[in-house]
């Protein structure tokens, strides 16, 4: 009976594989259809878990399409850990290369946004830094300051109106979705996860800070890339969203 | 080993429910007969956030049973050390009244299969399961309860009955048992055991907790009834009957109502707990 689990696991995800030898029904005859209960349980459970994690992707493509698409995904990408809240980490990449969804170019970024919300929800509880320490500093010192962001903070950059698509499907705000690129900040300032549209250059600024660049360098790079970048507004937004964990002078 | 003097579990011999976050406010405001709660360990293996905060508030009020669904104790390969570390971390800060897992496997080759999969009951499996439970109990510094599975099929390689196997695991490792009465009924209707005979020989003196749950009725290939352990319905009448027969012999035991899918509003779940509570109050051990 050694190594039957390998054949069992293989056959679970591939209905074309035969039922593993040695499994018997109550009559002592080969188990046949009863093995399909496990096949069904596993795939149904995984599709459901994926739908719970990506409700906006599901809403956009519709129940039937989602189920078929998720069925392909779960067989090709079974979870690597029993922590099912983190299942679907590469669902966005899968969507990028899933031909039937190619017409929905924004879909992978919607999935990235939903996964970022999951990560934010379960991230470590961290205090937010008090911005008043910046008030006593001269401009030269401020430009050298490093701002560390909280683990709950995630930035999703998109060439599509990903915030509006998410907002339209996940909230009561049904104002029309306008075309255009959108960057999104996902954070958890209190008990609830917050999804906010970032101003122009805001994402680049946060990503530079996240990479460890001092405030002056991050601001200069964001402004070089996006002339309308507004440092004051970005800083105010960051502290309002309580995403700064520490301020190192 | 630490904790070996705690008895099979520190849960009160009363009714408990499987905790769902949507019932959080209800369960604190109007617990009814609910005296303890059970969580799925994996749902709390995260760094922080509202799930952990909610559990901490709940644990301040109720004894908690920490029920693992992903340790894959029956795996042919070694236990996932990282997963065992995460369980140990949870158990150390939560200090639950009971820790339990399943006689099943659910991971293979680094992949998680999201179901409790069956084992052949032979000497090789017994040795492996016992080794894994030793490892878990050693790592946690406490005894665990092992739950009997629901079965849809068997293995031609099995050389012992399930109850005999469970008893042997407990004998070798010092672990206790979690008796899922719905699983016994599901397995019996599915033809892999006879419920009364199974319970007649089940070592009730090792049981630290009972599970009651609902199942789904389907049809097998020959048109016969086939039960799926779906936890998506009220506890069925034959399961209450079997439960009564167990209680008549065991006396009161901590009893969980498990409802994991199509989860109802709180009053429905509380009424299931009330029924168990009334039966517990009426039995004398």
């Amino acid at each position: 009976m050694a190594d039957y689990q390998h054949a069992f696991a293989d056959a679970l995800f591939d209905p074309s594989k035969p039922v593993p030898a040695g499994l018997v029904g109550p009559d002592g005859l080969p188990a046949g259809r009863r093995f399909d209960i496990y096949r069904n349980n596993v795939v149904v459970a995984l599709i459901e878990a994926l739908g719970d994690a990506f409700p906006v992707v599901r809403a956009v493509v519709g129940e039937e399409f989602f189920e078929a698409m998720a069925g392909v995904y779960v067989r090709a990408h079974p979870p690597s850990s029993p922590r099912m809240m983190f299942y679907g980490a590469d669902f966005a990449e899968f969507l990028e290369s899933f031909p039937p969804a190619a017409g929905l170019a924004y879909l992978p970024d919607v999935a990235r946004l939903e996964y970022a919300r999951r990560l934010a929800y379960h991230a470590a509880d961290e205090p937010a830094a008090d911005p008043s320490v910046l008030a006593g500093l001269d401009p030269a010192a401020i430009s050298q300051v490093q701002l560390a962001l909280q683990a709950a903070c995630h930035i999703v950059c998109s060439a599509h109106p990903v915030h509006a698509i998410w907002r339209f499907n996940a909230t009561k705000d049904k104002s029309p979705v306008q075309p255009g690129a959108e960057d999104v900040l996902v954070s958890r300032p209190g008990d609830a996860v917050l999804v906010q549209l970032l101003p122009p250059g805001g994402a680049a600024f946060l990503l530079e800070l996240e990479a460890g660049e001092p405030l002056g360098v991050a601001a200069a790079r964001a402004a070089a890339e996006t002339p309308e970048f507004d440092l004051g507004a970005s800083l105010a937004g960051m502290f309002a969203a309580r995403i700064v964990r520490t301020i190192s002078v | 080993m630490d904790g070996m003097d705690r008895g099979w579990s520190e849960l009160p011999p009363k009714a408990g429910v499987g905790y769902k976050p949507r019932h959080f406010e209800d369960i604190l405001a109007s617990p009814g007969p609910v005296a303890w709660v059970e969580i799925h360990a994996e749902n709390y293996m995260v760094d922080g956030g509202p799930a952990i905060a909610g559990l901490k508030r709940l644990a301040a009020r109720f004894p908690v049973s920490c029920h693992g669904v992903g340790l894959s104790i029956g795996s042919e390969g070694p236990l996932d050390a990282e997963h065992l570390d995460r369980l140990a971390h949870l158990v150390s800060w939560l200090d639950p009244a009971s820790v339990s897992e399943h006689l099943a496997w659910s991971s293979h080759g680094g992949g998680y299969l999201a179901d409790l999969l069956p084992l052949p009951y032979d000497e090789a499996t017994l040795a492996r399961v016992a080794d894994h439970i030793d490892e878990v109990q050693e790592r946690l510094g406490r005894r665990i309860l092992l739950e009997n599975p629901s079965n849809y099929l068997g293995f031609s390689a099995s050389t012992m009955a399930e109850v005999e196997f469970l008893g042997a695991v407990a004998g070798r490792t010092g672990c206790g048992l979690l008796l899922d009465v719905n699983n016994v009924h599901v397995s019996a209707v599915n033809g892999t055991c006879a419920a009364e005979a199974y319970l007649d020989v089940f070592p009730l003196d090792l049981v630290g907790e009972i599970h009651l749950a609902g199942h789904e009725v389907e049809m097998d290939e020959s048109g016969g009834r086939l039960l799926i352990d779906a936890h998506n319905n009220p506890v069925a009448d034959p399961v209450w009957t079997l439960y009564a027969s167990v209680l008549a012999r065991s006396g009161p035991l901590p009893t969980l109502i498990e409802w994991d899918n199509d989860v109802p509003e709180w009053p429905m779940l509380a009424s299931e707990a009330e029924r168990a509570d009334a039966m517990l109050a009426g039995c004398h051990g």
Side-chain angles (χ1 to χ4, degrees), chain A residues 1-9 12-13 21-27 30-35 37-38 40-42 45-46 48 78-86 120-125 188 190-192, chain B residues 42-51 70 74-77 80 83 86 105 107-108 110-120 122 128 150-157 190-192 219-221 226 228 261:
Chain A
M1 216 52 224
D3 212 21
Y4 71 93
Q5 289 180 0
H6 186 71
F8 198 113
L12 270 184
F13 286 110
L23 302 179
V24 291
D27 44 13
R33 236 202 80 201
R34 285 179 174 232
F35 184 74
I37 297 170
Y38 294 107
N40 186 59
N41 282 354
V42 170
L46 293 181
E48 208 177 288
S80 56
S81 151
R83 296 198 295 170
M84 289 300 290
M85 69 286 279
F86 300 128
Y121 187 82
H122 293 296
D125 304 298
R188 202 186 77 223
D191 275 353
Chain B
E42 281 70 16
N43 291 344
Y44 300 90
M45 294 182 179
V46 294
D47 293 336
S75 270
E76 279 174 344
D80 178 344
H83 195 70
R86 287 191 288 256
W105 62 287
S107 291
H108 180 75
Y112 175 61
L113 304 168
D115 199 10
L116 298 165
L117 300 167
L119 295 164
D122 58 12
R128 194 176 65 238
S150 54
N151 299 313
Y152 309 112
L153 45 75
F155 287 80
S156 53
N190 293 345
T192 65
M219 235 191 298
D220 74 0
E221 52 268 76
L226 187 72
I228 310 290
N261 296 299

Side-chain angles (χ1 to χ4, degrees), chain B residues 207-257:
Chain B
V207 174
E209 180 183 340
I210 288 182
H211 274 185
L212 301 175
H215 53 253
E216 195 162 282
V217 183
E218 291 194 2
M219 235 191 298
D220 74 0
E221 52 268 76
S222 55
R225 263 180 0 126
L226 187 72
L227 302 188
I228 310 290
D229 181 31
H231 298 185
N232 62 344
N233 276 303
V235 177
D237 284 339
V239 175
W240 286 116
T241 305
L242 291 174
Y243 174 56
S245 77
V246 169
L247 285 187
R249 287 187 293 129
S250 67
L253 284 168
T255 300
L256 183 86
I257 305 294

